[in-house]
Amino acid sequence: EDQVTQSPEALRLQEGESSSLNCSYTVSGLRGLFWYRQDPGKGPEFLFTLYSAGEEKEKERLKATLTKKESFLHITAPKPEDSATYLCAVQGGGDDKIIFGKGTRLHILP
Amino acid sequence: DTGVSQDPRHKITKRGQNVTFRCDPISEHNRLYWYRQTLGQGPEFLTYFQNEAQLEKSRLLSDRFSAERPKGSFSTLEIQRTEQGDSAMYLCASSDRAHEQYFGPGTRLTVT
């Protein structure tokens, strides 16, 4: 069964303090790994899709990387507006649904 | 920019009542997905349409839940005889390929 585990569950950082969020996954035939940002009371906002090991994507202060077993979301010099829950999800070869992890709640202190 | 829209945004209902939610996808997207999210959890897949065909339903979806997508445009999700355990955020997403899914703002259901 496809599974996604995110760590840590919560992370508090000072503004400017860089860090990484982890997403470990097991899936039959990875078709895509997705990162979303979710603000309280809102729907998830699409950030990145990664398709194969070694791939990297960047957007502003965020950089996502992928290996055969896990993905990292690196946050460089974060700002308070980066505070949100970051969700990782995978899509396997069997069907079109995506399986989400529980997310990492990120809080950036000014 | 016309993203995914959902209506209503909030719904409070009494246990045993029926509720219906609507989702309007991004216009050129042929795939539409419903998810349920409870506090502290990631979204859980419920069901999925390609055009008007419902292609997959989760085992989470009891027979009190039904979804339709007439004419392959908007979709409705109905919950009959609501229970307190149905309280959650119901999210709709759409995509034009079987990859990036774009989510709406969600409908928050509270069953009292």
Side-chain angles (χ1 to χ4, degrees), chain A residues 4-44:
Chain A
V4 177
T5 303
Q6 292 188 246
S7 62
E9 289 186 8
L11 182 61
R12 294 167 69 90
L13 299 172
Q14 290 293 136
E15 183 173 1
E17 181 184 1
S18 301
S19 188
S20 296
L21 313 183
N22 177 265
C23 171
S24 298
Y25 65 91
T26 54
V27 65
S28 300
L30 180 71
R31 292 167 62 194
L33 183 141
F34 311 94
W35 282 98
Y36 286 85
R37 169 191 170 129
Q38 187 172 30
D39 293 303
K42 298 188 177 181

Side-chain angles (χ1 to χ4, degrees), chain A residues 31 91 95-98, chain B residues 4 23-35 45 47-55 69 72-75 92-103:
Chain A
R31 292 167 62 194
Q91 185 178 55
D95 48 46
D96 286 340
K97 69 174 182 285
I98 60 177
Chain B
V4 178
C23 171
D24 286 272
I26 294 171
S27 58
E28 60 267 29
H29 286 181
N30 63 355
R31 291 173 169 86
L32 188 149
Y33 307 79
W34 285 99
Y35 292 83
F45 171 79
T47 190
Y48 149 59
F49 293 85
Q50 184 168 334
N51 298 313
E52 65 273 14
Q54 188 172 17
L55 297 187
R69 193 184 183 197
S73 55
F74 70 92
S75 176
C92 175
S94 71
S95 70
D96 61 352
R97 317 176 287 160
H99 293 297
E100 295 100 10
Q101 297 180 15
Y102 295 87
F103 283 81

Side-chain angles (χ1 to χ4, degrees), chain A residues 19-93:
Chain A
S19 188
S20 296
L21 313 183
N22 177 265
C23 171
S24 298
Y25 65 91
T26 54
V27 65
S28 300
L30 180 71
R31 292 167 62 194
L33 183 141
F34 311 94
W35 282 98
Y36 286 85
R37 169 191 170 129
Q38 187 172 30
D39 293 303
K42 298 188 177 181
E45 174 190 347
F46 172 77
L47 293 174
F48 304 110
T49 305
L50 300 168
Y51 295 102
S52 57
E55 189 175 0
E56 298 182 351
K57 294 269 180 80
E58 284 189 65
K59 180 180 179 180
E60 296 181 354
R61 294 177 292 281
L62 300 176
K63 178 180 176 180
T65 61
L66 181 65
T67 72
K68 288 186 177 180
K69 294 183 178 181
E70 56 191 351
S71 176
F72 292 94
L73 185 66
H74 306 279
I75 301 176
T76 302
K79 298 181 178 181
E81 54 261 42
D82 295 322
S83 298
T85 296
Y86 290 85
L87 296 164
C88 174
V90 296
Q91 185 178 55

